[in-house]
Structure formats: C-alpha cells, structure tokens
Amino acid sequence: MTLFVTADPANVHHIYTQNFQNYPKGEECAEIFEIVGQGILTTDGDLWRFHRKKLLLAMSRNCYNTFIAKMTQEKIENSILPFLSNAIEQRLAVVDLQDMLTRLSFDMTCILTFGTDPGSLSMEFPVVPFAQVSDDATATIFFRLSRPSAWWKLLRFFRIGPEKRYAEAKVVVDRFIADAIKKRKREMFEGKHVCTDLLYSYLCDENIPNSQEFLRDSILSFLAAGRETVSTSLCWFFWALSQNKQIEEKIMHELNFIHHNTTPKGMVIFDPEELENLVYFKAALLETLRLFPSLPFSFSSVKEPDLLPSGSIVTPGMKIITSAYAMGRMQKLWGKDCMEFKPERWISEKGTLLHVP
Ligand code: HEM
C-alpha cells in the first residue's frame, strides 16, 4: 500500500477543486464500500454527477425544507423532550447521550430519506437491526481501508472475522431498504403520499431509473452519509459544552433573546427560523466540527502523475488521504491556542460569522 497523507490546505484545495478530475474515488473505493453500491458516495464521473444533480434537485425543493423543519420539531417534541423529562423524573444519574443522539439522527435520516420513522428513539431503546449492523459494516470498512486489498479479499473469500459480519450486515441492510422502498411504492399507489421525502421525490421523477438497484443505492448512500455524521458532531458539541461552562452560559444567554414555545413540562422548543441569526451558537458548532470532524479523513486515488502545491509528486496506484482532523488542529493555521475550544475564533470584529475556506 502506498499512502500519501496530507493536511496541507493548499494540497487539499488542489485535490478537491483545482485538479479534481485527477483524483477520483477510484475502483478500490467502490469495492471497499461495496455495501452502499453505486450511490453518490462511491461513484465518479457521469454517474456521480447524475446522482449529485438529482440529489441537489430533490433537496432544494421548498417543500423539502418545510418538511425537514416540521419533522425535526415533531421529533424533538415527541421523542427527545419526553425522553429527557423521563430521565429527570426517574432521577437517573447518568443518561447515555451518545446512544440517544445516534438514535435521534438515525430516525431523522430515515424520515428525510423515505418518510418513515423507525422509532429507535423511544423510551424502551428498542434494538433496530439495521442500526446495529451498520456499526459492523463501518468497522469492516475501516478494516478494509487500513489493510492491503489482497488481505481483506482473502478474508472475504473465506468469510472470516470482520468479513463474515460484513456479509451478514449486507443481508440485513438489503432487507431494510427493500422493505422501505416497497412500503413507499405501495403508499404512492394508494395515493397516500403525505410527505415529501427523498424517495418520494425520486419515485416521482421520470428521469430517474426506476430500478430497485438504483433506488436502493441512492437512498442507502443518503442514510449512510447522514446517520453518524450528525450524531457524532452533536455528541462532541455537548461534550465540549460540559467542559466549558462559560460557553454553555453564552449560548443560553443568546437563546434567551429569541422566541420560543414552552411545553406543559416547562421544556422549550424553538422555531428553526428563529435560530438563523444565532452567531455564537453557530460559532460553537463550527468549533466542534473543527476539533472533532465526524469525517476525520477522506480518500481518493490518482489518475495521472501530478505535482502538488507542497512540492510532492503523486502517481497512479497511490491512495491519497486528506485529514480534516489534522487540518483542524494545526498551529500554523489556527494559532497557538489551536487545541482550545474557542467559538470566538469564528466571529469577526463586526460580530458576524467568519468564513474559513
Ligand atoms: C455534521 C454533519 C455532517 C458532516 C460533518 C458531513 C460531512 C461531509 C463530508 C466531509 C463530505 C465529503 C466526503 C468526501 O468526499 O470524502 C460529505 C459528503 C456528503 N454528505 Fe455529509 N456531512 C454531514 C451530514 C450529512 C447529512 C445529514 C446528509 C444527508 C442526510 C449528508 C449527505 C452527504 C452526501 C450525499 C455526501 C456526498 C456528496 C457528493 O459526493 O457530492 N451529510 N459530508
């Protein structure tokens, strides 16, 4: 394995924008992530562009944004707040926030993707097989990424260890997605479409191949991209607040000035539009993503030999790894206090959010 690992912003800019065509995800990536099929996360060239166009179209519909806002609010009111108030009533000393947030983002991503709430965040913390096997699949993907391909392919051939779990996970994932597509198609056939999720928009689009495979790969990629990224970020966000009382107070102070509704149990819900102008709160989220990026590194391959801005030469056969994690912690970029959680670094003198490319 020849790996080229970089956290140099000039290199990253070159790879992802200036000479993007030269750095496809590559065939090996598609093999490693084979469970998600030929979706947006694993494809290159025309197929990737097609996925991207369709996804952007589906997500830029006004009704989709309204749908997201409504579903998020309902989920908070009907799942998160009852869960937390139950924890208070039961005087629980410890609440597993990571589990709660993973369940929340799984439910939310399912709702946005195919309009059904699997209800994994309910009082009983039910076991959802799809969510469970997703963790096995992620672990195997990491295993594959960090081994020479001949090694994991041998294990795959004999169905040993992580490869056995990967194959089992695929069966569960396929069944879960097939059921979701079947249910949505049936609802549409019965004229019962009530929401505007992604799958609904795909089923209505005559230019989208109606094959089971295309739909499966598209919605699975979306699910895979949304679930852990959001939950991991939220988890680190709350952890950072727990370590920085002053920052928590500043966020609470900012929230005091916006309109909110209070539930009978004294809990508070905000309108999404009200959150638009919260500068300090957004800066704290950006600071979370800087120090704890939920996708800490990305992979690409090399098509033609190329000279990177850092002076390094990369050649076909190399695997390029760009590390957002390292980039977010470089003294050269962020200053001597780069390891400190400091939302202020994202706020300009005028009090607006700074854009960092
Ligand atoms: C805090 C939350 C999130 C973070 C930090 C995040 C981060 C990223 C990053 C870094 C990439 C580029 C990956 C690469 O090229 O290697 C990416 C791609 C993508 N993300 Fe997210 N993401 C988040 C949430 C979501 C959600 C909620 C969804 C949808 C439900 C989503 C859907 C996608 C899709 C479809 C792509 C592929 C885009 C393309 O190839 O054109 N992401 N995300």
Side-chain angles (χ1 to χ4, degrees), residues 237 247 251 279-289 341 343:
F237 173 71
I247 295 174
I251 291 176
V279 173
Y280 195 81
F281 175 59
K282 284 189 181 173
L285 287 173
L286 290 170
E287 187 66 343
T288 308
L289 290 169
F341 189 88

Side-chain angles (χ1 to χ4, degrees), residues 25 40-41 48 52 55 109 222 225-226 229-230 233 289 294-295 298:
K25 291 160 201 149
I40 189 169
L41 299 177
W48 172 72
R52 197 172 161 87
L55 193 54
T109 319
F222 203 64
T229 42
V230 175
S233 304
L289 290 169
S294 43
L295 286 183
S298 294

Side-chain angles (χ1 to χ4, degrees), residues 127-256:
V127 175
V128 177
F130 175 88
Q132 217 175 21
V133 301
S134 295
D135 295 339
D136 287 340
T138 309
T140 308
I141 286 170
F142 190 75
F143 178 86
R144 286 182 176 187
L145 283 168
S146 51
R147 304 291 189 288
S149 58
W151 174 235
W152 64 259
K153 282 181 183 167
L154 194 68
L155 297 186
R156 181 176 66 177
F157 182 77
F158 289 110
R159 277 185 148 230
I160 299 173
E163 290 299 332
K164 180 169 183 277
R165 289 193 292 280
Y166 196 73
E168 288 164 354
K170 190 170 177 303
V171 175
V172 177
V173 166
D174 284 349
R175 197 178 322 123
F176 182 81
I177 302 290
D179 287 350
I181 296 175
K182 207 158 88 186
K183 181 166 175 277
R184 206 77 189 95
K185 279 185 172 169
R186 196 175 53 235
E187 284 169 355
M188 281 187 71
F189 182 71
E190 291 166 356
K192 267 205 290 189
H193 69 86
V194 278
C195 49
T196 50
D197 52 86
L198 198 76
L199 178 58
Y200 173 70
S201 134
Y202 274 32
L203 288 171
C204 293
D205 187 337
E206 286 169 3
N207 297 318
I208 282 190
N210 197 8
S211 74
Q212 182 76 5
E213 204 181 352
F214 185 88
L215 291 173
R216 175 213 177 268
D217 295 352
S218 299
I219 68 169
L220 180 57
S221 300
F222 203 64
L223 268 188
R227 177 174 168 252
E228 274 181 89
T229 42
V230 175
S231 62
T232 311
S233 304
L234 287 176
C235 228
W236 281 114
F237 173 71
F238 286 115
W239 181 81
L241 294 198
S242 75
Q243 307 295 302
N244 295 279
K245 200 75 196 143
Q246 281 173 333
I247 295 174
E248 184 189 335
E249 277 162 14
K250 282 187 189 167
I251 291 176
M252 295 302 277
H253 179 74
E254 201 178 42
L255 288 171
N256 272 338

